[in-house]
Amino acid sequence: MQKYDVIVVGAGPAGSMAAMKAAQGGAKTLLLERAELPRYKLCGGGVANWIMRKFEIPKDVIERVYKNIVTYIPPNYEGQVFPMPGLGYFGVCRDKFDHCLTKMAIEAGAEFKERINIRDVVMEEGYVKGVVSSDGQVFRGDVIIGCDGAHSIVAKKSGFWKVWFDQKGENWRDHMWFCVGVEVKMDKKTIDERFEDNYLFFTGREVAPLAYGWLFPKRETVSVGLGSFLFSMNKKPWSYMDYFLNKHPVLPKLLKGGEIVLRRGAWLPIRHCQRPSYGNGVLFAGDSAGMVSPISGEGIYYAVRAGLEAIMFGRFGY
Ligand SMILES: Cc1cc2nc3c(=O)[nH]c(=O)nc-3n(C[C@H](O)[C@H](O)[C@H](O)COP(=O)(O)OP(=O)(O)OC[C@H]3O[C@@H](n4cnc5c(N)ncnc54)[C@H](O)[C@@H]3O)c2cc1C
């Protein structure tokens, strides 16, 4: 049996920040992650400049700095350029970026265990007292922070899905966009020439009804994706991607010569922040409690802020 002051489940941006803050305050902190880091996560990888100002993110983690958003809207699909104020927006690959935040938590003193898949919580007299991994290990803690993303097992097993969804006659999927994305490999020179310091948004019923598609150029890859509520789609999500990549009036030309090296699907909580986001012995930060901008789908900034503030909000006395 292993006992901690704070146990954080999930080493995404929310979890690493919560673990860092708890460890900095002197708490005996354990950060648990089911994957082995660095791990790929489907994401545009657009990061708010607040994060770059707050932390010293190594230069090699920052793939690109965006100074403009370019939108392509039907019916004429002319690229409209919107310059961004100040430092702009930053492009990262999530494997390196998330790993960098986890290293910050470890440097602050958090114990990190990877390849630990949490499948249940320990409930005693109405309090969450710990978590259980799929290989039967039990980790006990005074406070459990669920940062295990959109499909949070900590939230589900500690009864929050009943409050957030079932009791309102809704279900988990009603709150999610389903996203599909591809990574397209291109040479650096072509990416520089075609995209300069822009990232791109695409709207239209054929691309993503009720939402949008995106393209974030990185150094040697381009991340292309789209997402929306499944109820708004009248064909399979990958059929929208097929249209986007091959028949859209603009995108195929921009990707000419590129090679798709990865395809993934992922859920994005989009409707609103779930309330309450805490209970007896447990609280949530990031996607686990829907902390994503319902307009843009941006979630990294909110996950980082929520992770940092979970510790202050919890007033654990550390
Ligand atoms: C297609 C797509 C594109 C996006 N693009 C952007 C963008 O450009 N900019 C932006 O700001 N946001 C974007 N987002 C949103 C952003 O990815 C999330 O809001 C952000 O990752 C939330 O961070 P988090 O730490 O809460 O969760 P996550 O980053 O999802 O991290 C959760 C972690 O928990 C681990 N985990 C899950 N279950 C368990 C378990 N049972 N046991 C142990 N560990 C577990 C996972 O492996 C993962 O490492 C995008 C999302 C999607 C789906």
Side-chain angles (χ1 to χ4, degrees):
M1 185 82 61
Q2 303 163 65
K3 171 79 171 59
Y4 294 85
D5 297 324
V6 175
I7 296 177
V8 182
V9 181
S16 291
M17 291 295 94
M20 180 186 79
K21 195 81 182 172
Q24 281 171 346
K28 188 180 180 208
T29 304
L30 175 65
L31 173 61
L32 296 171
E33 166 60 45
R34 77 175 161 198
E36 183 178 345
L37 299 190
R39 59 101 180 85
Y40 177 82
K41 175 171 168 70
L42 179 66
C43 185
V47 175
N49 70 46
W50 183 90
I51 293 173
M52 302 301 170
R53 284 184 278 123
K54 174 106 183 147
F55 302 111
E56 279 179 25
I57 304 294
K59 281 213 169 67
D60 70 298
V61 174
I62 301 170
E63 296 268 320
R64 229 168 170 83
V65 182
Y66 307 119
K67 295 289 184 185
N68 306 294
I69 309 173
V70 183
T71 60
Y72 295 91
I73 298 171
N76 57 15
Y77 299 96
E78 275 167 25
Q80 297 198 46
V81 182
F82 297 90
M84 301 178 72
L87 297 176
Y89 208 49
F90 290 78
V92 301
C93 293
R94 290 291 301 275
D95 50 354
K96 272 198 202 164
F97 177 75
D98 288 20
H99 198 197
C100 163
L101 299 189
T102 305
K103 284 188 220 156
M104 286 161 57
I106 296 167
E107 273 161 29
E111 184 180 338
F112 175 57
K113 287 182 190 280
E114 53 196 341
R115 296 191 301 272
I116 301 284
N117 184 18
I118 296 307
R119 66 163 168 80
D120 207 349
V121 297
V122 178
M123 276 298 236
E124 286 170 4
E125 295 168 352
Y127 277 76
V128 180
K129 297 279 191 179
V131 289
V132 186
S133 66
S134 50
D135 59 358
Q137 296 185 70
V138 178
F139 303 92
R140 293 184 74 92
D142 291 335
V143 177
I144 310 301
I145 309 184
C147 299
D148 45 343
H151 212 280
S152 173
I153 289 294
V154 178
K156 189 176 182 182
K157 293 289 184 173
S158 52
F160 280 79
W161 281 23
K162 284 200 184 99
V163 179
W164 295 342
F165 311 123
D166 304 356
Q167 287 172 9
K168 295 179 189 143
E170 296 177 354
N171 64 53
W172 178 85
R173 277 193 182 198
D174 296 336
H175 290 249
M176 301 287 149
W177 278 355
F178 186 69
C179 305
V180 289
V182 297
E183 302 292 345
V184 183
K185 192 151 182 48
M186 294 171 97
D187 67 87
K188 186 176 177 314
K189 188 163 166 283
T190 309
I191 295 180
D192 288 346
E193 284 168 4
R194 275 188 205 167
F195 302 105
E196 299 174 340
D197 46 10
N198 304 329
Y199 71 97
L200 321 181
F201 279 116
F202 304 80
T203 57
R205 190 177 279 276
E206 279 75 23
V207 175
L210 264 181
Y212 64 86
W214 61 84
L215 184 156
F216 285 88
K218 308 288 168 53
R219 264 191 216 107
E220 291 175 0
T221 51
V222 172
S223 305
V224 177
L226 62 88
S228 194
F229 293 106
L230 280 183
F231 67 74
S232 72
M233 297 183 174
N234 58 16
K235 52 185 180 180
K236 293 211 163 88
W238 283 104
S239 304
Y240 287 91
M241 180 58 89
D242 186 40
Y243 167 85
F244 196 26
L245 292 171
N246 300 308
K247 302 192 187 97
H248 187 272
V250 177
L251 190 74
K253 291 176 206 146
L254 292 174
L255 297 180
K256 196 157 181 264
E259 181 200 353
I260 294 176
V261 289
L262 198 142
R263 294 170 185 264
R264 285 279 163 86
W267 297 96
L268 172 65
I270 194 74
R271 269 178 63 182
H272 53 73
C273 223
Q274 301 297 350
R275 300 265 187 243
S277 56
Y278 60 93
N280 294 339
V282 65
L283 74 164
F284 301 94
D287 279 15
S288 60
M291 296 174 186
V292 171
S293 161
I295 295 174
S296 63
E298 176 179 24
I300 299 169
Y301 167 77
Y302 299 98
V304 165
R305 289 297 295 258
L308 292 172
E309 287 171 24
I311 299 300
M312 293 189 268
F313 169 76
R315 295 195 193 289
F316 305 132
Y318 299 118

